[in-house]
Amino acid sequence: EDQVTQSPEALRLQEGESSSLNCSYTVSGLRGLFWYRQDPGKGPEFLFTLYSAGEEKEKERLKATLTKKESFLHITAPKPEDSATYLCAVQPYNQGGKLIFGQGTELSVKP
Amino acid sequence: NAGVTQTPKFQVLKTGQSMTLQCAQDMNHNSMYWYRQDPGMGLRLIYYSASEGTTDKGEVPNGYNVSRLNKREFSLRLESAAPSQTSVYFCASRIPGQGGVKNIQYFGAGTRLSVL
């Protein structure tokens, strides 16, 4: 069964305190892995897509990495505006492009 | 461009009532999706339409029906609402392929539904 598990469920950081969010997955065949950001009351906003183990992508203070079993979202020197829920999803092959989501990590960055 | 537009934004129903959630995208995307989001459960796929004229069940299809009206619009219908269908519903769309903006699912702002 295709499955995604994110940890921790919640993370509290001080401004400037770097950390990482984990996304572990099992999937029959990985087409791609996606990271989204979701603010309260809004829809998920796309951050990154990773397609093969070893791939890395960066955007401002965020960096996403991928191995054959998990992905990390590294947050360097976070700011309060980085506070949000971060969602990880896998896309299996040949299933119409659908995504299987983890439960999310709620990040809070205090000034 | 508006992207993915969902209506209504909020809705309260009584058990047994029916309603249709509307979704429209203006990005000329082929594929469209309906998800529900519940606390601690993440987003779960209800139905999807890989291309105009096709629909398929997702993980949690029971109690729902869908219609791909045309390339732009994909509606979700609750025939007889139940309290277990209280949730936030998201519609998404994408262009198949890889590279650039392809294969990225873009989400609407959601419909918050309460069934009493």
Side-chain angles (χ1 to χ4, degrees), chain B residues 31-115:
Chain B
S31 304
M32 298 185 73
Y33 307 82
W34 276 106
Y35 295 88
R36 62 177 287 174
Q37 187 174 37
D38 303 292
M41 300 291 290
L43 283 97
R44 292 180 293 168
L45 184 66
I46 305 171
Y47 270 94
Y48 67 101
S49 172
S51 61
E52 188 178 357
T54 69
T55 60
D56 286 285
K57 295 179 180 180
E59 182 185 356
V60 289
N62 291 345
Y64 305 95
N65 286 301
V66 290
S67 296
R68 183 73 183 266
L69 304 170
N70 47 56
K71 192 172 185 179
R72 290 186 64 249
E73 298 172 289
F74 188 38
S75 63
L76 179 72
R77 183 160 179 85
L78 288 69
E79 291 292 351
S80 179
S84 60
Q85 294 179 305
T86 293
S87 188
V88 183
Y89 292 84
F90 289 101
C91 177
S93 69
R94 75 167 187 134
I95 298 177
Q98 186 169 335
V101 298
K102 292 180 181 178
N103 203 32
I104 298 170
Q105 286 194 24
Y106 294 91
F107 286 79
T111 293
R112 284 145 187 82
L113 176 67
S114 291
V115 183

Side-chain angles (χ1 to χ4, degrees), chain B residues 7-14 17-22 78 81 85-89 110-116:
Chain B
T7 55
K9 288 183 170 42
F10 302 93
Q11 184 71 49
V12 178
L13 293 178
K14 294 181 179 178
Q17 287 185 318
S18 62
M19 79 161 294
T20 299
L21 281 65
Q22 306 286 354
L78 288 69
Q85 294 179 305
T86 293
S87 188
V88 183
Y89 292 84
T111 293
R112 284 145 187 82
L113 176 67
S114 291
V115 183
L116 305 177

